[in-house]
Amino acid sequence: MTDSMPAVAAQPPRTLFDKLWDAHLVVAETTAAPALLYVDLHLIHEVTSPQAFAELAERGLTLRCPERTKGTLDHSTPTLPNAADGSVPYPHAAARAQVDRLRENAARCGVELFDLDSPARGIVHVIGPELGLTQPGMTIVCGDSHTSTHGAFGALAFGIGTSEVGHVLATQCLLQRKAKTLAITVAGELASGVSAKDLILHIIGQIGVNGGTGYVIEFRGATIRALPMEGRMTVCNMAIEAGARAGMIAPDQVTFDYLAGCPRAPKGAAFEAALARWKLLPSDPGAKFDRELQIDAGQVRPAVTWGTHPGTAMVIDGLVPEPQDAAQQRGIDYMRFSAGAGVLGEPVDVVFVGSCTNGRISDLREVARLLAGRKLHPRVRMLVVPGSAAVKRQAQAEGIDQIVRNAGGEWREPGCSMCIAMNGDLVLPGQLALSTSNRNFEGRQGPGARTMLVSPATAAASALAGCVADPRAYPDTTPTAAALAAEPVVGQTGALA
Amino acid sequence: MKPIRRIVSASVVWPRSNIDTDQIIPARFLSTTERNGLGRYAFHDWRYRDDGSVNPDFVFNQPQNVGRSILVAGRNFGCGSSREHAPWALVDFGLRAVISAEIADIFRNNALKNGLLPVVLPAAVVDELLAHPDWSLELDVATRQLRLPDGRCYEFPLDEFQQVCLLDGVDELGYLLARTEAIQHFEENRNAC
């Protein structure tokens, strides 16, 4: 025996996911039982939480760590302003009841709730990051599949069911089997007019809506590193649309710079200490993934979907493919498209800009850049819905609300709105909607609604043209401030037809 | 949860792939604070026409399918949202098992917590089942086997823990609560993250 330092066993290289998994293991998994995984941050909203609180109340259980749960109101809430008497224009009593129930549950259980009048309110996956509640190295869950968004910060974040919401409320833990890992490495430069939304639609088009099932995806490579945080969130947001358990991106200086300005992120010495930990998170060189894929960003073009799931993505000037099975045929028929035909020039009824996918300030800036000084095609109804109260304030400070209104669009209060169409914001039967959201399932935006998923730029270009239009046809000009003063140009969109 | 050991039924076959959670229960029916009584909304926009009348073409509306408790569906059943309302609606509607070549991750987890058995089998087997809705299928949780009327058996994947939960009606929340000491130990000893 000697007094020398104990030998440190050489640890095999680990992925980002491995590191987060190991750091949150309360009980390791065995063949007989899953792991207990600790949850750092639990986000809740009014639709998927009431039954969980009821279950706890029935069993006489309390919250283990109320301070680790944060609530917001987003799915059922109207995006129209309050009435003159201050009343909230709920679409129906059931929506109001959900909101009231979350208020009661939060108050009774000591959970912080960002209520309708809170300056921090918004879509759950928009406010977590912007407040800095979302941090690298955390486990984050929510009764909402788009929780994968938070993985953009190097967090392990995924959607859970309502029973599991109850598990987390009562024990701060989940029973989990470790997922497999899929590395998607994106190299090359995104062309001008091509966004993170086009990239993730391209990826889902490549791997399919079940291509990620059973996996946690780590998005890597120079193209991902070059994306700002908001673009990274768009990419991770839609990991679930490929069926993945979660999407993740290793934290880097872009992440740290973003967090340094967030109100709930650590400050001062605490930030420096956190930074030291966060820098250890990226996958080690040589870390093994269960599966690896390469994506060439240079191949990505503005994308649209032609069918009724996000895997039906294609380039905007592509042709609807020949159906491979009855479901694809049904999708093409539902969309009223034809195999072998293009979609450019298809008349558009509704354009929706918003959601946890594309409701952030950079998305609204992109839309404003295209709308500035122009008018919507008269056929088009356009809703622009900020992802949060903070996004709304920032957009208004930049005059984006005025640009939208001057163009003929509707500027709304924050919420999920037409993405899930629970709050009265609906696409009517048969209408074609171009939507910056994440799902084009049959009826998703209203019974009989036909949805094409697009980027903010494609949404805006199509709103101007009155039909599916390529955003690259709009020159990159008109800074926002200058646009405010500019005369509206009517009929300029005809050039695209 | 009530134990589930064996499910025997002819099947309702719906070969459509990617049957998503908005088809299982459209989002407009999620405006509820209850988990019971959602069966009336299961596959709502397929069961009913736009004018509210029953759609006789939909599989679940066909007379021979009434009372059947196994759905055989196309690939990637349950993709989309995390809404547990989906299995709540299907169980309330009378389903006890879904067989598909692939079942989406969150839906599968939610189904297991609500007495709906998710059964994943090779595509060739599922295709055969899709062609034979009148076969009486037997799903045995204890042996993790699907038994066909001609005696053929196919094993389906089922986590040992989930199997015990189904067989014994183990309540996962109770299981977690029984590990409070380990959770406390973790909280007291973890490195900040």
Side-chain angles (χ1 to χ4, degrees):
Chain A
M1 294 288 285
T2 71
D3 290 329
S4 64
M5 293 284 287
V8 177
Q11 200 168 24
R14 293 184 299 163
T15 64
L16 167 63
F17 170 62
D18 292 332
K19 293 179 189 183
L20 267 84
W21 178 267
D22 294 348
H24 293 87
L25 263 185
V26 174
V27 179
E29 66 181 327
T30 65
T31 47
L36 256 72
L37 200 68
Y38 197 78
V39 172
D40 293 318
L41 176 63
H42 182 206
L43 302 167
I44 58 173
H45 61 68
E46 73 276 21
V47 176
T48 56
S49 66
Q51 299 88 348
F53 279 104
E55 172 92 19
L56 261 65
E58 277 165 30
R59 294 179 179 224
L61 297 170
T62 54
L63 271 60
R64 180 166 186 86
C65 307
E67 70 283 2
R68 289 190 180 275
T69 296
K70 307 287 174 192
T72 190
L73 301 164
D74 52 8
H75 283 63
S76 295
T77 53
T79 58
L80 290 167
N82 291 354
D85 64 0
S87 64
V88 179
Y90 289 104
H92 41 65
R96 176 197 298 271
Q98 283 187 321
V99 168
D100 287 344
R101 184 64 62 86
L102 182 51
R103 284 177 176 148
E104 291 159 20
N105 285 330
R108 182 169 45 83
C109 299
V111 169
E112 184 179 16
L113 173 66
F114 301 107
D115 208 328
L116 292 182
D117 56 359
S118 164
R121 184 185 79 89
I123 303 175
V124 61
H125 311 308
V126 176
I127 66 167
E130 77 187 8
L131 288 171
L133 292 168
T134 301
Q135 293 167 23
M138 281 185 164
T139 44
I140 303 176
V141 299
C142 173
D144 192 293
S145 56
H146 292 109
T147 307
S148 57
T149 312
H150 308 262
F153 289 78
L156 174 59
F158 52 91
I160 56 176
T162 296
S163 293
E164 290 178 319
V165 170
H167 298 176
V168 179
L169 291 174
T171 70
Q172 209 56 39
C173 287
L174 284 173
L175 290 167
Q176 288 283 303
R177 287 285 180 194
K178 194 175 181 186
K180 293 177 286 184
T181 50
L182 165 60
I184 296 185
T185 303
V186 190
E189 205 171 321
L190 288 173
S192 168
V194 176
S195 69
K197 180 62 163 293
D198 300 305
L199 171 62
I200 188 62
L201 283 172
H202 173 82
I203 291 172
I204 299 165
Q206 296 282 307
I207 71 173
V209 280
N210 52 358
T213 303
Y215 291 92
V216 166
I217 300 176
E218 183 180 330
F219 297 98
R220 309 154 57 84
T223 317
I224 299 296
R225 298 262 76 85
L227 287 175
M229 284 317 298
E230 300 202 340
R232 295 181 188 186
M233 285 187 247
T234 301
V235 169
C236 288
N237 172 275
M238 290 191 72
I240 180 67
E241 307 311 332
R245 187 88 180 119
M248 307 175 86
I249 294 173
D252 60 12
Q253 198 56 45
V254 175
T255 322
F256 309 145
D257 290 346
Y258 180 100
L259 283 165
C262 296
R264 302 282 182 106
K267 302 289 176 209
F271 185 81
E272 294 306 318
L275 202 54
R277 293 194 304 272
W278 296 343
K279 286 180 173 173
L280 300 174
L281 289 170
S283 295
D284 298 325
K288 289 271 182 297
F289 292 87
D290 295 299
R291 196 175 144 209
E292 300 199 35
L293 281 172
Q294 315 290 327
I295 295 284
D296 177 4
Q299 301 289 314
V300 181
R301 301 283 177 269
V304 294
T305 52
W306 52 263
T308 51
H309 61 71
T312 62
M314 67 172 185
V315 292
I316 194 165
D317 50 359
L319 304 178
V320 177
E322 291 298 328
Q324 301 298 304
D325 57 31
Q328 286 195 357
Q329 181 67 60
R330 159 107 189 176
I332 294 171
D333 293 345
Y334 181 86
M335 291 303 293
R336 303 184 193 167
F337 292 157
S338 303
V343 296
L344 279 173
E346 278 291 326
V348 171
D349 303 294
V350 177
V351 171
F352 169 62
V353 174
S355 84
C356 57
T357 312
N358 280 127
R360 299 186 178 81
I361 189 65
S362 57
D363 302 312
L364 304 193
R365 285 179 185 144
E366 181 66 0
V367 168
R369 180 180 71 75
L370 286 155
L371 295 190
R374 297 185 172 112
K375 289 282 182 196
L376 304 188
H377 188 283
R379 173 171 44 227
V380 173
R381 176 189 184 208
M382 184 184 203
L383 250 72
V384 180
V385 185
S388 70
V391 170
K392 184 186 164 206
R393 281 194 302 276
Q394 180 63 32
Q396 292 186 338
E398 297 178 20
I400 291 173
D401 57 328
Q402 280 309 318
I403 291 176
V404 170
R405 287 197 176 103
N406 288 347
E410 298 174 42
W411 179 253
R412 293 294 189 98
E413 298 297 313
C416 299
S417 182
M418 225 179 234
C419 172
I420 191 163
M422 287 183 68
N423 73 332
D425 298 341
L426 279 177
V427 176
L428 299 177
Q431 284 189 326
L432 182 65
L434 260 62
S435 182
T436 67
S437 54
N438 41 55
R439 290 195 173 129
N440 52 341
F441 299 149
E442 284 190 31
R444 168 78 177 185
Q445 296 193 280
R450 300 182 295 141
T451 300
M452 297 175 84
L453 302 177
V454 295
S455 71
T458 301
S462 304
L464 293 171
C467 59
V468 178
D470 192 328
R472 292 170 298 180
Y474 285 83
D476 189 3
T477 53
T478 339
T480 297
L484 267 176
E487 285 294 308
V489 182
V490 182
Q492 192 178 3
T493 57
L496 280 172
Chain B
M1 196 176 75
K2 281 185 201 152
I4 299 179
R5 302 199 167 93
R6 200 164 149 270
I7 300 160
V8 182
S9 172
S11 62
V12 180
V13 302
W14 190 9
R16 179 182 166 91
S17 55
N18 302 313
I19 296 172
D20 60 73
T21 47
D22 279 279
Q23 310 316 307
I24 297 171
I25 178 167
R28 63 186 185 281
F29 301 122
L30 307 184
S31 295
T32 174
T33 54
E34 303 294 320
R35 70 168 76 198
N36 299 317
L38 296 179
R40 66 193 137 145
Y41 304 128
F43 303 125
H44 183 278
D45 292 351
W46 292 83
R47 280 162 68 197
Y48 302 102
R49 295 191 179 112
D50 294 345
D51 63 5
S53 64
V54 170
N55 172 12
D57 298 333
F58 184 53
V59 280
F60 279 97
N61 288 336
Q62 291 164 356
Q64 75 274 16
N65 288 334
V66 172
R68 294 184 178 185
S69 59
I70 298 174
L71 169 63
V72 182
R75 181 176 280 277
N76 200 28
F77 185 85
C79 61
S81 121
S82 63
R83 64 188 69 158
E84 199 160 322
H85 309 69
W88 292 337
L90 296 185
V91 169
D92 191 48
F93 188 47
L95 284 180
R96 292 294 171 268
V98 177
I99 301 176
S100 174
E102 191 162 25
I103 296 181
D105 186 42
I106 306 180
F107 177 85
R108 187 176 187 284
N109 264 326
N110 285 337
L112 282 162
K113 292 178 177 58
N114 290 281
L116 180 68
L117 183 65
V119 177
V120 174
L121 288 166
V125 177
V126 175
D127 285 345
E128 199 178 356
L129 299 181
L130 286 169
H132 295 93
D134 292 330
W135 281 357
S136 175
L137 307 180
E138 180 185 341
L139 290 163
D140 184 31
V141 175
T143 59
R144 302 173 196 165
Q145 279 186 338
L146 163 71
R147 184 183 295 272
L148 301 185
D150 62 9
R152 279 182 294 159
C153 287
Y154 295 98
E155 195 163 320
F156 56 86
L158 184 65
D159 187 88
E160 220 175 279
F161 179 76
Q162 302 291 8
Q163 185 184 28
V164 171
C165 287
L166 290 169
L167 289 171
D168 299 346
V170 171
D171 151 50
E172 288 190 14
L173 179 50
Y175 178 91
L176 279 163
L177 287 164
R179 278 141 190 87
T180 299
E181 212 170 292
I183 299 169
Q184 191 161 346
H185 179 80
F186 175 87
E187 286 175 335
E188 288 165 0
N189 293 282
R190 72 180 304 200
N191 296 316
C193 202

